[in-house]
Amino acid sequence: SVPETLLEVSGIEAGYGKIAVLHGIDMRIAPGEVVSLLGPNGAGKTTLLRAIAGLLPWTAGSVRFDGRDMRDAGPRESARAGLVHVIEGHRVFTQISVTDNLLLAAYDLPRRERAARIEEVLETFPEIAAKRHDKGGALSGGQQQMLAVAQGLIRRPRLLMLDEPSAGLSPVLVDRVLAVVSDLRAAGTAVLLVEQLIEKALAVSDRVYAMAQGRIVLEAKANEADLPHRLERAYFGQD
Ligand code: ATP
């Protein structure tokens, strides 16, 4: 049976050395759900994604993924368990081909599955498939961003965490990347999306959390009336 909760974050506290950044974060994501994580610069969104992905140790609280305690998992184990993190401004290897970039992302999959998985993700991104033999550096910024997402998808994650996938993209390419998020949702893949483009993020999301100063200050369904206005007030601490 499908568990109701895929990711359960409870009371997470984390930071950098003596600097506390996350002050007790609670968050849930159901299988196949698209959830936006919004908030002003410095709110702690990237730090939360890093903690969930096993890149940053937390000092209190717990992360459960697919029923499993992720305390000692680390980034590799997390990715193997189906929790994949595409970092902000991820840059692909510019001197090797698109296909080789994908092959690198597939390095720990069984050898016999790699080629099929590469074809699978290339089908999702026709604009990259057309350039599969080109070097990564020959792709536009938007295409490189798509290749970064494709590298994440090659493991068929159950939860894909995207940190500002629209950063530096033209409006048309932003729409294209967010259309991929909608496709993932339709295919049953859960997504945790950090975005600055509030309206666009809400348009592809089921639910939303807003953070400010290391705390969750709002949780809502993405289609709730007046949400952009409520979000703005939550950001500035008047909600
Ligand atoms: P942005 O949209 O600007 O990335 P964010 O919500 O993702 O914002 P974080 O990047 O998580 O916020 O930053 C939260 C806080 O942690 C900020 O005060 C930031 O200065 C601090 N911080 C981030 N990375 C480090 C680091 N490596 N060392 C020390 N402090 C850091």
Side-chain angles (χ1 to χ4, degrees):
S1 69
V2 181
E4 266 175 46
T5 303
L6 179 62
L7 178 76
E8 182 169 26
V9 174
S10 309
I12 281 294
E13 296 177 18
Y16 303 93
K18 285 181 181 161
I19 308 166
V21 174
L22 304 178
H23 306 285
I25 302 289
D26 297 326
M27 172 181 277
R28 279 165 178 270
I29 300 180
E33 198 180 28
V34 175
V35 174
S36 277
L37 176 60
L38 307 173
N41 287 336
K45 307 179 296 295
T46 295
T47 302
L48 178 57
L49 260 52
R50 288 172 53 83
I52 293 171
L55 287 163
L56 184 73
W58 56 85
T59 51
S62 67
V63 174
R64 292 185 76 78
F65 181 72
D66 207 13
R68 172 176 165 192
D69 184 348
M70 302 303 279
R71 165 154 288 284
D72 299 313
R76 233 183 210 220
E77 265 307 297
S78 296
R80 286 210 178 114
L83 203 178
V84 165
H85 180 211
V86 178
I87 62 176
E88 180 179 0
H90 173 86
R91 284 290 164 257
V92 303
F93 291 101
T94 54
Q95 298 300 324
I96 62 173
S97 73
V98 166
T99 312
D100 285 344
N101 268 280
L102 292 169
L103 201 53
L104 277 178
Y107 74 98
D108 67 343
L109 293 174
R111 192 176 288 272
R112 65 185 181 283
E113 286 180 24
R114 290 178 198 159
R117 292 288 185 96
I118 288 173
E119 293 312 312
E120 183 179 294
V121 295
L122 285 175
E123 269 175 40
T124 308
F125 298 98
E127 50 276 87
I128 297 176
K131 303 203 163 189
R132 59 192 298 160
H133 302 300
D134 294 4
K135 286 188 173 160
L139 302 184
S140 71
Q143 290 164 344
Q144 289 190 17
Q145 188 67 271
M146 283 182 204
L147 180 52
V149 176
Q151 286 179 312
L153 285 178
I154 208 151
R155 298 163 166 283
R156 291 188 186 152
R158 301 199 58 206
L159 173 63
L160 185 70
M161 299 195 293
L162 297 174
D163 197 347
E164 294 197 32
S166 75
L169 299 193
S170 69
V172 171
L173 282 172
V174 170
D175 290 345
R176 181 68 190 95
V177 168
L178 292 177
V180 169
V181 172
S182 290
D183 292 346
L184 289 173
R185 180 174 181 277
T189 304
V191 178
L192 178 55
L193 175 66
V194 170
E195 252 310 331
Q196 295 295 341
L197 303 172
I198 297 176
E199 307 261 4
K200 284 183 185 282
L202 292 178
V204 299
S205 296
D206 297 295
R207 273 189 315 121
V208 54
Y209 290 95
M211 278 181 80
Q213 297 177 344
R215 292 185 166 82
I216 301 288
V217 291
L218 184 149
E219 189 217 330
K221 291 225 157 74
N223 61 4
E224 275 179 29
D226 204 30
L227 189 50
H229 186 223
R230 282 179 59 203
L231 280 166
E232 229 161 89
R233 286 194 307 175
Y235 280 22
F236 298 110
Q238 291 144 17
D239 212 47

